[in-house]
Amino acid sequence: WVKVNVDGSWLDQSRIMGVGGVIRDAVGRWKGGFARSFEDGDSLRGEILAIAEGLSFYWDAGFRNIICESDCIGAVKVVQGPSLKK
């Protein structure tokens, strides 16, 4: 298992978003990181893109057992999709 911590940011006036993340193994050792910028967005989109970029980056790197953490519950809910519970 590896853990990915991601975060997104957004500059209101320029509408530019930045996303980044780090990955650590089960004992906390650094395994890698990423950073990227995007244009024309907002704060929620930046957070969602951080999750998507993080999962995609580490999946492509060969990691299959991934725990992803974000500080934005709104983005997590969007990525998880609608609940099937009633």
Side-chain angles (χ1 to χ4, degrees):
W1 286 92
V2 294
K3 183 182 284 187
V4 179
N5 293 92
V6 300
D7 200 9
S9 63
W10 172 62
L11 297 173
D12 183 23
Q13 292 181 350
S14 65
R15 299 184 53 85
I16 294 176
M17 300 170 292
V19 303
V22 298
I23 189 168
R24 293 171 291 161
D25 66 13
V27 294
R29 288 182 296 232
W30 169 267
K31 299 305 253 178
F34 72 96
R36 187 168 174 200
S37 64
F38 295 91
E39 294 182 9
D40 196 31
D42 56 43
S43 60
L44 181 58
R45 184 168 185 229
E47 296 285 353
I48 293 167
L49 285 171
I51 294 170
E53 286 290 310
L55 293 175
S56 177
F57 181 84
Y58 297 113
W59 186 266
D60 292 346
F63 295 102
R64 295 297 180 257
N65 298 311
I66 303 169
I67 297 170
C68 184
E69 291 185 343
S70 169
D71 64 353
C72 180
I73 191 66
V76 171
K77 287 181 178 182
V78 168
V79 171
Q80 287 178 335
S83 175
L84 299 177
K85 295 180 183 179
K86 291 191 177 195

